């Protein structure tokens, strides 16, 4: 059992591309946890999607042994954190298992808004934040400027900031020494009743539920009967261990350690994230505080293309929900799309990731409807209803007012791009609250409607600032706004899945743009397809997809039918992601057309 | 697969013979058939011998069945001398029973050299010519990379008639680069003046891996092509050419036996480089498709051995019902419902659901015992056929 003073638990906070994964890899290599051959690039990002996108979505951990000298061997537990704004909730989960955090900042890019937000969360959680400048070997590095940014924006001392190059390995050894010195060792009583915090849980087809835990007090052994405190259900521990980053079995996990527990839990919700594990024979008095539940911000309908997939879709969602409590879902029925689920997400990236995982890991083919935020409706009978689906907006004569969610956006942007960023925020109905110059960067605070932010704000912000602006946002309040439901009709029939809520001032232009976009997505077919946008009975705009003149293969050389078949197969393949709506085939992409409105400006 | 066929009457599925001649003087930019530009010389003699050896290998599969048609296509079969064609037909006659009203078509290029051979082709047994005119306008012939002129074409046709061919087809294309409706109709009128029994009038389409696909010509827009087609079809009708297939028009009783056999899902043996066959085995009820090696040199080497077959596939019941529909729904008047069982050995239930679905969508007419694509279904045949894909 390692003595507490030889354990360090920490996270790495970094903006996307600032080198977190590279640094973690370097640590792993230096501590000899993997041979060079095993050293796949960026081992911490273990989901395919994470590797492809170069981002971290789920928390992961790795345990390393650093030999300072033969007498002092330190156990380092790195708990990885996601870097994207959508996943800030996951960050706070990871931080709850740590005593410290490395704040890795790109020495030329400077501080970015999400790192600021995450660092502040870490500081609020009483974590020691250790700033590190990465990529100092790049010619564009400006260590002094970035150092003063860290001090001014985050408000921590960066006087003795460490300068490293994770890529070449320069300074990494010194960094290890420094973090052992600066980050406190965990507290806790090994003799006290077991309290283990579930940081993460996921479902393994062979093992059942696997949980990543931090032992806060006590210890846990293979064969122990453990109790999940929220449900008071008991299980026998089959396996324990640490990630190195391979799964490395152990007999015992002691106070201060971070590792995995497998206890034959077959039910998907058997070991919820944030719950506390204790021993059945000597239970702890009270559970750990756990995590605040997070509310999803963006909702959309997900429908299986093949209705026979509905049950497996439900199961897949349950499995994903196990370690992603931000994912919400409930059954939804659409006239156009049949049976599916209304799903809630933290943001657009979260939605894309879930969609991709459902399609890749569970082989589902889905149609996703336009994302929407949650509105509040005050009815004429003075009731407040929340609406996460435009199709469910009450009749207009029963609505007294509609309120939309407003967020506070904190933006960091180099001065050069200040003008275009402000223009963008105003276009998105933002109201400027604060502006603050820090070195060459400007910190901006805007209040904006969330609906304007969730769709494409992040992409637009990146493009108007050439990738230099960063932002973070928090929910502020609901506020009355002049909103209307824009409905889409295809061949004069209302398609519930295409309707959305929009500010009245923009309804005319949005309606026109949306019908134009939908037109682009609907291929020419056997009949004319009329696409109309309407508010109530008032038609705002109309577009027509003209019917194909014909669809026939002129010359069909009788002998060789194979080529003709391939042609038909291609045609059929193209329609796979389409939904039959009366005589019209609507491709999946058309249901997301709203995302493309205003993109080509 | 169950044995549904009446094994005692294998002749219930007609059998045709296709012979592929894989050389052309020059490859046309729109052509995606297996054709090779004839270098200074090609091994005509060796190829004819190979064809005969190749046929011998096929005989056990078609024992006792007579053939309703022979089509010698290409490539440019008229590059082959009448002596070669004679040798070929004589050997075939020795091996196979000919139906009394057999149709024997030779595909010819309307050049001067070839035209001088027409009467000899007639003498050796060819009873139908298919003349690859494509257009009677030199401007379009040039764009299409054809090596003949419109004058030569008219001359060749008159030689064809002079040689005693009463039954001949003119191949014409429409929707040519920058063609207008007038020019397309003019081509048809010129063709009528030549008094053919059959006109194949088909739209130029850009096929993958052709010169045109790499360097696309400026084709007329959909709307113009559509009006060409509508007006052209009207003109053909007024001149007593009855449409019997998507691109085929014939005088009464002159529909091509060979092509009709394809569309009615009959059997066929294809010999020659890259030729395709479809044969029903009446012993086990299986339907098999196979094709031969494409490269002429390799084909000559392998002819006579079973290795000459490059691809082979036994069709499952889903393949069969789809391919049956792909062929028969091209026929303007459709087919009697019982042909499905006769040609596939499968019960109609196999496609009952699809037939109903297609009918409900207005793509198919089921009147009495006849299955036929509605006019809407003929126009959107690919959408109709997609319904039969499983």
């Amino acid at each position: 059992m390692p003595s507490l003073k030889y354990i360090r638990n920490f996270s790495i906070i970094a903006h996307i591309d600032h080198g977190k994964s590279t640094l973690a890899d370097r640590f792993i290599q230096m501590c000899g946890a993997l041979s060079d051959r095993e050293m796949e690039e960026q081992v911490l990002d273990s989901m395919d999607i994470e590797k492809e996108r170069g981002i971290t979505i789920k928390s992961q951990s790795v345990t390393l042994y650093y030999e300072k000298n033969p007498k002092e061997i330190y156990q380092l537990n790195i708990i990885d954190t996601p870097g994207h704004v959508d996943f800030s909730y996951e960050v706070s989960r990871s931080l709850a298992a740590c005593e410290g955090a490395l704040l890795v900042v790109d020495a030329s890019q400077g501080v970015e808004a999400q790192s600021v937000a995450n660092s502040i969360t870490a500081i609020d959680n009483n974590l020691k934040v250790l700033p590190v400048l990465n990529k100092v070997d790049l010619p564009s590095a400006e260590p002094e400027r970035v150092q003063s940014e860290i001090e001014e924006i985050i408000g921590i001392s960066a006087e003795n900031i460490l300068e490293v190059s994770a890529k070449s390995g320069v300074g990494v050894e010194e960094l290890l020494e420094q973090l052992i010195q600066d980050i406190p060792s965990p507290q806790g009583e090994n003799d006290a009743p077991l309290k283990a915090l579930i940081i993460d849980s996921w479902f393994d087809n062979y093992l059942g539920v696997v949980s990543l835990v931090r032992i806060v007090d006590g210890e846990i052994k293979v064969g122990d009967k453990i109790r999940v405190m929220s449900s008071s259900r008991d299980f026998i521990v089959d396996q324990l261990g640490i990630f190195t980053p391979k799964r490395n079995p152990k007999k015992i996990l002691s106070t201060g350690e971070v590792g995995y527990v497998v206890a034959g839990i077959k039910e998907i919700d058997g070991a919820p994230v944030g719950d506390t594990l204790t021993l059945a024979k000597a239970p702890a008095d009270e559970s750990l505080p756990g995590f605040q539940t997070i509310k999803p911000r963006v909702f959309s309908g997900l429908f299986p293309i093949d209705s026979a997939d509905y049950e497996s879709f439900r199961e897949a969602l349950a499995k994903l929900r196990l370690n992603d409590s931000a994912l919400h879902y409930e059954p939804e029925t659409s006239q156009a799309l049949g049976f599916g689920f209304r799903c809630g997400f933290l943001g657009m990236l979260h939605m894309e990731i879930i969609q991709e995982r459902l399609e890749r890991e569970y082989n589902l083919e889905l149609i996703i409807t336009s994302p929407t935020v949650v509105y509040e409706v005050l009815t004429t009978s003075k009731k407040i209803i929340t609406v996460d689906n435009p199709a469910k907006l009450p009749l207009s004569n029963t609505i007294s007012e509609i309120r939309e969610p407003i967020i506070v956006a904190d933006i960091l942007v180099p001065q050069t791009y200040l003008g275009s960023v402000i223009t963008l925020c105003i276009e998105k109905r933002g109201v400027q609250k604060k502006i603050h110059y820090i070195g060459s960067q400007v910190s901006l605070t805007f209040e904006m409607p969330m609906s304007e932010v969730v769709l494409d704000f992040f992409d637009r912000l990146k493009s108007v600032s050439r990738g230099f602006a960063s932002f973070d946002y928090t929910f502020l309040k609901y506020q009355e706004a002049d909103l209307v439901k824009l409905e889409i009709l295809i061949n004069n029939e209302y398609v519930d899945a295409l309707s959305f809520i929009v500010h009245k001032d923009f309804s005319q232009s949005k309606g026109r743009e949306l019908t134009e976009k939908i037109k682009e997505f609907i291929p020419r077919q056997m009949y004319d397809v009329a696409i109309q946008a309407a508010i109530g009975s008032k038609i705002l705009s109309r577009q027509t997809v003209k019917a194909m003149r014909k669809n026939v293969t002129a010359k069909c050389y009788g002998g060789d039918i194979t080529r003709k078949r391939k042609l038909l197969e291609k045609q059929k393949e193209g329609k796979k992601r389409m939904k039959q709506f009366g005589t019209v085939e609507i491709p999946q992409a058309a249901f997301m057309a709203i995302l493309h409105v205003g993109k080509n400006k | 697969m169950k044995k549904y066929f009446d094994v005692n009457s294998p002749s219930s599925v007609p059998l045709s013979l296709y012979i592929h001649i894989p050389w052309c003087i020059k490859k046309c930019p729109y052509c995606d058939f297996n054709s090779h530009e004839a270098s200074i010389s090609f091994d005509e003699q060796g190829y004819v011998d190979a064809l005969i050896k190749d046929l011998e290998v096929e005989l056990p599969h078609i024992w006792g069945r007579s053939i309703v048609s022979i089509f010698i296509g290409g490539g440019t079969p008229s590059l082959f001398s009448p002596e070669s064609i004679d040798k070929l037909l004589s050997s075939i006659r020795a091996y196979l029973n000919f139906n009394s009203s057999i149709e024997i078509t030779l595909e010819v290029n309307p050049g001067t050299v070839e035209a001088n051979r027409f009467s000899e082709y007639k003498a050796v047994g060819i009873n139908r010519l298919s003349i690859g005119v494509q257009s009677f306008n030199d401007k379009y012939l040039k764009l299409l990379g054809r090596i003949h002129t419109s004058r030569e074409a008219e001359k060749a046709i008159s030689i064809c008639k002079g040689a005693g061919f009463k039954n001949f087809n003119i191949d014409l294309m429409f929707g040519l680069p920058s063609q207008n409706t007038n020019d397309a109709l003019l081509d048809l009128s010129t063709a009528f003046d030549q008094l053919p029994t059959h006109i194949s009038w088909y739209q130029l389409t850009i096929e993958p891996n052709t010169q045109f696909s790499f360097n696309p010509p400026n084709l007329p827009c959909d709307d113009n092509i559509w009006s060409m087609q509508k007006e052209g079809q009207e003109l053909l009708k007024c001149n007593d050419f009855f449409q019997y297939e998507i691109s085929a028009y014939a005088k009464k009783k002159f529909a091509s036996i060979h092509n009709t056999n394809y569309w009615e899902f009959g059997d066929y043996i294809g010999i020659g480089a890259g030729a395709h066959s479809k044969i029903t085995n009446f012993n086990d009820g299986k339907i098999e498709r196979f094709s031969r090696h494409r490269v002429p040199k390799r084909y000559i080497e392998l002819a006579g051995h079973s290795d000459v077959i490059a691809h082979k596939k036994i069709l499952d019941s889903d393949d069969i019902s789809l391919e049956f529909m792909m062929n028969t729904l091209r026929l303007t008047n459709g087919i009697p419902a019982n042909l499905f069982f006769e040609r596939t050995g499968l019960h109609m239930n196999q496609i009952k659901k699809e037939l109903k679905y297609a009918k409900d969508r207005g793509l198919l007419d089921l009147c009495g015992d006849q299955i036929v694509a509605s006019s809407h279904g003929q126009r959107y045949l690919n959408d109709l056929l997609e319904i039969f894909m499983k």
Side-chain angles (χ1 to χ4, degrees), chain B residues 260-290:
Chain B
T260 304
N261 189 44
Y262 285 142
W263 312 132
E264 290 182 347
F265 208 57
D267 280 358
Y268 48 90
I269 294 283
I271 58 171
H276 289 250
S277 306
K278 177 225 148 199
I279 294 292
T280 308
N281 182 332
F282 294 96
N283 294 319
D284 58 12
K286 284 183 176 147
I287 297 179
E288 193 171 26
R289 284 192 175 286
F290 42 95

Tab-separated table of all heavy atoms in Angstrom, chain B residues 260-290:
chain	number	residue	atom	x	y	z
B	260	THR	N	-35.805	-8.875	-77.937
B	260	THR	CA	-37.001	-9.247	-77.190
B	260	THR	C	-36.705	-10.404	-76.244
B	260	THR	O	-37.187	-10.440	-75.109
B	260	THR	CB	-38.136	-9.618	-78.156
B	260	THR	OG1	-38.356	-8.520	-79.041
B	260	THR	CG2	-39.423	-9.911	-77.400
B	261	ASN	N	-35.852	-11.304	-76.678
B	261	ASN	CA	-35.501	-12.426	-75.800
B	261	ASN	C	-34.786	-11.946	-74.532
B	261	ASN	O	-35.019	-12.459	-73.452
B	261	ASN	CB	-34.640	-13.437	-76.553
B	261	ASN	CG	-34.445	-14.714	-75.750
B	261	ASN	OD1	-35.397	-15.232	-75.156
B	261	ASN	ND2	-33.221	-15.219	-75.697
B	262	TYR	N	-33.932	-10.928	-74.678
B	262	TYR	CA	-33.315	-10.357	-73.474
B	262	TYR	C	-34.391	-9.790	-72.556
B	262	TYR	O	-34.445	-10.058	-71.372
B	262	TYR	CB	-32.378	-9.194	-73.828
B	262	TYR	CG	-31.048	-9.557	-74.440
B	262	TYR	CD1	-30.503	-8.757	-75.451
B	262	TYR	CD2	-30.307	-10.641	-73.991
B	262	TYR	CE1	-29.270	-9.040	-76.012
B	262	TYR	CE2	-29.071	-10.937	-74.553
B	262	TYR	CZ	-28.556	-10.133	-75.561
B	262	TYR	OH	-27.340	-10.409	-76.092
B	263	TRP	N	-35.257	-8.968	-73.145
B	263	TRP	CA	-36.229	-8.242	-72.310
B	263	TRP	C	-37.251	-9.190	-71.687
B	263	TRP	O	-37.839	-8.874	-70.670
B	263	TRP	CB	-36.957	-7.158	-73.105
B	263	TRP	CG	-36.058	-6.265	-73.919
B	263	TRP	CD1	-36.213	-5.910	-75.224
B	263	TRP	CD2	-34.867	-5.609	-73.487
B	263	TRP	NE1	-35.200	-5.094	-75.633
B	263	TRP	CE2	-34.351	-4.890	-74.585
B	263	TRP	CE3	-34.159	-5.559	-72.274
B	263	TRP	CZ2	-33.183	-4.142	-74.529
B	263	TRP	CZ3	-32.988	-4.816	-72.219
B	263	TRP	CH2	-32.514	-4.122	-73.329
B	264	GLU	N	-37.476	-10.331	-72.361
B	264	GLU	CA	-38.434	-11.283	-71.783
B	264	GLU	C	-37.746	-12.297	-70.877
B	264	GLU	O	-38.308	-13.335	-70.548
B	264	GLU	CB	-39.219	-11.980	-72.899
B	264	GLU	CG	-40.194	-11.030	-73.587
B	264	GLU	CD	-41.034	-11.695	-74.661
B	264	GLU	OE1	-40.703	-12.843	-75.060
B	264	GLU	OE2	-42.012	-11.068	-75.111
B	265	PHE	N	-36.510	-11.979	-70.506
B	265	PHE	CA	-35.764	-12.818	-69.568
B	265	PHE	C	-35.553	-14.227	-70.112
B	265	PHE	O	-35.650	-15.212	-69.386
B	265	PHE	CB	-36.474	-12.869	-68.206
B	265	PHE	CG	-35.539	-13.113	-67.045
B	265	PHE	CD1	-34.470	-12.270	-66.792
B	265	PHE	CD2	-35.715	-14.205	-66.191
B	265	PHE	CE1	-33.619	-12.488	-65.725
B	265	PHE	CE2	-34.850	-14.433	-65.115
B	265	PHE	CZ	-33.814	-13.568	-64.889
B	266	GLY	N	-35.283	-14.305	-71.413
B	266	GLY	CA	-34.922	-15.591	-72.002
B	266	GLY	C	-33.478	-15.940	-71.678
B	266	GLY	O	-32.762	-15.174	-71.021
B	267	ASP	N	-33.051	-17.103	-72.133
B	267	ASP	CA	-31.661	-17.515	-71.925
B	267	ASP	C	-30.796	-17.049	-73.095
B	267	ASP	O	-31.288	-16.859	-74.209
B	267	ASP	CB	-31.583	-19.048	-71.837
B	267	ASP	CG	-31.975	-19.547	-70.449
B	267	ASP	OD1	-32.252	-18.700	-69.584
B	267	ASP	OD2	-32.004	-20.782	-70.258
B	268	TYR	N	-29.527	-16.883	-72.846
B	268	TYR	CA	-28.605	-16.594	-73.946
B	268	TYR	C	-27.208	-17.060	-73.604
B	268	TYR	O	-26.778	-17.008	-72.451
B	268	TYR	CB	-28.601	-15.107	-74.311
B	268	TYR	CG	-28.460	-14.171	-73.136
B	268	TYR	CD1	-27.201	-13.750	-72.699
B	268	TYR	CD2	-29.591	-13.723	-72.456
B	268	TYR	CE1	-27.082	-12.894	-71.619
B	268	TYR	CE2	-29.473	-12.880	-71.373
B	268	TYR	CZ	-28.216	-12.464	-70.953
B	268	TYR	OH	-28.102	-11.639	-69.876
B	269	ILE	N	-26.558	-17.539	-74.645
B	269	ILE	CA	-25.143	-17.878	-74.546
B	269	ILE	C	-24.399	-16.744	-75.207
B	269	ILE	O	-24.743	-16.342	-76.317
B	269	ILE	CB	-24.839	-19.161	-75.363
B	269	ILE	CG1	-25.536	-20.364	-74.760
B	269	ILE	CG2	-23.339	-19.384	-75.476
B	269	ILE	CD1	-24.852	-20.884	-73.535
B	270	GLY	N	-23.391	-16.196	-74.527
B	270	GLY	CA	-22.552	-15.192	-75.161
B	270	GLY	C	-21.165	-15.765	-75.325
B	270	GLY	O	-20.553	-16.184	-74.345
B	271	ILE	N	-20.676	-15.808	-76.567
B	271	ILE	CA	-19.287	-16.232	-76.765
B	271	ILE	C	-18.492	-15.067	-77.316
B	271	ILE	O	-19.048	-14.127	-77.877
B	271	ILE	CB	-19.183	-17.479	-77.689
B	271	ILE	CG1	-19.824	-17.202	-79.053
B	271	ILE	CG2	-19.824	-18.697	-77.031
B	271	ILE	CD1	-19.548	-18.309	-80.078
B	272	GLY	N	-17.189	-15.127	-77.109
B	272	GLY	CA	-16.328	-14.021	-77.503
B	272	GLY	C	-15.847	-13.284	-76.267
B	272	GLY	O	-16.362	-13.479	-75.165
B	273	ALA	N	-14.820	-12.421	-76.489
B	273	ALA	CA	-14.174	-11.734	-75.373
B	273	ALA	C	-15.173	-10.893	-74.589
B	273	ALA	O	-15.864	-10.048	-75.153
B	273	ALA	CB	-13.051	-10.844	-75.892
B	274	GLY	N	-15.254	-11.119	-73.299
B	274	GLY	CA	-16.096	-10.315	-72.416
B	274	GLY	C	-17.589	-10.558	-72.554
B	274	GLY	O	-18.384	-9.838	-71.953
B	275	ALA	N	-18.003	-11.565	-73.332
B	275	ALA	CA	-19.437	-11.777	-73.549
B	275	ALA	C	-20.100	-12.374	-72.307
B	275	ALA	O	-19.489	-13.128	-71.564
B	275	ALA	CB	-19.653	-12.687	-74.751
B	276	HIS	N	-21.360	-12.000	-72.117
B	276	HIS	CA	-22.122	-12.454	-70.957
B	276	HIS	C	-23.159	-13.496	-71.357
B	276	HIS	O	-23.734	-13.411	-72.434
B	276	HIS	CB	-22.850	-11.273	-70.307
B	276	HIS	CG	-21.918	-10.330	-69.611
B	276	HIS	ND1	-21.868	-10.217	-68.251
B	276	HIS	CD2	-20.985	-9.478	-70.106
B	276	HIS	CE1	-20.948	-9.329	-67.924
B	276	HIS	NE2	-20.403	-8.861	-69.037
B	277	SER	N	-23.402	-14.458	-70.465
B	277	SER	CA	-24.406	-15.482	-70.710
B	277	SER	C	-25.360	-15.556	-69.528
B	277	SER	O	-25.004	-15.189	-68.405
B	277	SER	CB	-23.746	-16.862	-70.848
B	277	SER	OG	-22.739	-16.836	-71.817
B	278	LYS	N	-26.539	-16.028	-69.813
B	278	LYS	CA	-27.504	-16.321	-68.733
B	278	LYS	C	-28.206	-17.611	-69.127
B	278	LYS	O	-28.825	-17.672	-70.190
B	278	LYS	CB	-28.517	-15.185	-68.607
B	278	LYS	CG	-29.588	-15.445	-67.561
B	278	LYS	CD	-30.963	-15.103	-68.061
B	278	LYS	CE	-32.003	-15.999	-67.440
B	278	LYS	NZ	-33.256	-16.013	-68.190
B	279	ILE	N	-28.038	-18.631	-68.305
B	279	ILE	CA	-28.551	-19.952	-68.669
B	279	ILE	C	-29.348	-20.547	-67.504
B	279	ILE	O	-28.920	-20.483	-66.353
B	279	ILE	CB	-27.376	-20.908	-69.006
B	279	ILE	CG1	-26.656	-20.427	-70.271
B	279	ILE	CG2	-27.850	-22.339	-69.194
B	279	ILE	CD1	-27.490	-20.547	-71.526
B	280	THR	N	-30.494	-21.107	-67.840
B	280	THR	CA	-31.292	-21.807	-66.845
B	280	THR	C	-30.920	-23.289	-66.887
B	280	THR	O	-30.847	-23.872	-67.966
B	280	THR	CB	-32.791	-21.682	-67.183
B	280	THR	OG1	-33.084	-20.295	-67.367
B	280	THR	CG2	-33.650	-22.233	-66.065
B	281	ASN	N	-30.668	-23.839	-65.729
B	281	ASN	CA	-30.406	-25.266	-65.651
B	281	ASN	C	-31.699	-25.962	-65.247
B	281	ASN	O	-32.181	-25.790	-64.137
B	281	ASN	CB	-29.307	-25.523	-64.606
B	281	ASN	CG	-28.952	-26.987	-64.518
B	281	ASN	OD1	-29.793	-27.854	-64.790
B	281	ASN	ND2	-27.713	-27.256	-64.147
B	282	PHE	N	-32.264	-26.727	-66.184
B	282	PHE	CA	-33.591	-27.299	-65.913
B	282	PHE	C	-33.551	-28.507	-64.985
B	282	PHE	O	-34.567	-28.974	-64.526
B	282	PHE	CB	-34.299	-27.628	-67.227
B	282	PHE	CG	-34.614	-26.391	-67.994
B	282	PHE	CD1	-33.776	-25.934	-68.984
B	282	PHE	CD2	-35.728	-25.642	-67.665
B	282	PHE	CE1	-34.049	-24.765	-69.657
B	282	PHE	CE2	-36.014	-24.467	-68.329
B	282	PHE	CZ	-35.170	-24.023	-69.338
B	283	ASN	N	-32.347	-28.987	-64.719
B	283	ASN	CA	-32.256	-30.118	-63.795
B	283	ASN	C	-32.438	-29.678	-62.356
B	283	ASN	O	-33.101	-30.335	-61.575
B	283	ASN	CB	-30.908	-30.825	-63.952
B	283	ASN	CG	-30.811	-31.479	-65.311
B	283	ASN	OD1	-31.793	-32.060	-65.787
B	283	ASN	ND2	-29.669	-31.343	-65.948
B	284	ASP	N	-31.824	-28.541	-62.033
B	284	ASP	CA	-31.934	-28.124	-60.634
B	284	ASP	C	-32.665	-26.787	-60.483
B	284	ASP	O	-32.795	-26.279	-59.375
B	284	ASP	CB	-30.539	-28.043	-59.993
B	284	ASP	CG	-29.622	-27.086	-60.706
B	284	ASP	OD1	-30.116	-26.308	-61.556
B	284	ASP	OD2	-28.419	-27.090	-60.413
B	285	GLY	N	-33.126	-26.223	-61.597
B	285	GLY	CA	-33.891	-24.984	-61.512
B	285	GLY	C	-33.049	-23.743	-61.276
B	285	GLY	O	-33.567	-22.658	-61.088
B	286	LYS	N	-31.724	-23.900	-61.307
B	286	LYS	CA	-30.877	-22.741	-61.010
B	286	LYS	C	-30.638	-21.886	-62.254
B	286	LYS	O	-30.568	-22.408	-63.367
B	286	LYS	CB	-29.537	-23.202	-60.441
B	286	LYS	CG	-29.688	-23.639	-59.008
B	286	LYS	CD	-28.384	-24.021	-58.385
B	286	LYS	CE	-28.639	-24.346	-56.913
B	286	LYS	NZ	-27.758	-25.380	-56.413
B	287	ILE	N	-30.497	-20.593	-62.012
B	287	ILE	CA	-30.166	-19.686	-63.109
B	287	ILE	C	-28.778	-19.138	-62.838
B	287	ILE	O	-28.478	-18.677	-61.738
B	287	ILE	CB	-31.191	-18.551	-63.218
B	287	ILE	CG1	-32.571	-19.128	-63.552
B	287	ILE	CG2	-30.759	-17.545	-64.281
B	287	ILE	CD1	-33.669	-18.099	-63.657
B	288	GLU	N	-27.942	-19.206	-63.877
B	288	GLU	CA	-26.550	-18.819	-63.698
B	288	GLU	C	-26.178	-17.754	-64.721
B	288	GLU	O	-26.623	-17.796	-65.855
B	288	GLU	CB	-25.674	-20.062	-63.900
B	288	GLU	CG	-24.263	-19.873	-63.454
B	288	GLU	CD	-23.503	-21.206	-63.486
B	288	GLU	OE1	-23.889	-22.098	-64.269
B	288	GLU	OE2	-22.541	-21.334	-62.743
B	289	ARG	N	-25.375	-16.803	-64.248
B	289	ARG	CA	-24.804	-15.807	-65.164
B	289	ARG	C	-23.318	-16.009	-65.197
B	289	ARG	O	-22.715	-16.260	-64.166
B	289	ARG	CB	-24.957	-14.405	-64.574
B	289	ARG	CG	-26.276	-13.840	-64.640
B	289	ARG	CD	-26.271	-12.352	-64.312
B	289	ARG	NE	-27.627	-11.927	-64.542
B	289	ARG	CZ	-28.125	-11.791	-65.758
B	289	ARG	NH1	-27.349	-11.979	-66.820
B	289	ARG	NH2	-29.376	-11.463	-65.919
B	290	PHE	N	-22.723	-15.842	-66.354
B	290	PHE	CA	-21.268	-15.857	-66.384
B	290	PHE	C	-20.746	-15.014	-67.518
B	290	PHE	O	-21.465	-14.698	-68.468
B	290	PHE	CB	-20.711	-17.275	-66.429
B	290	PHE	CG	-21.437	-18.211	-67.347
B	290	PHE	CD1	-20.976	-18.416	-68.643
B	290	PHE	CD2	-22.572	-18.889	-66.916
B	290	PHE	CE1	-21.632	-19.288	-69.484
B	290	PHE	CE2	-23.232	-19.765	-67.757
B	290	PHE	CZ	-22.773	-19.968	-69.052
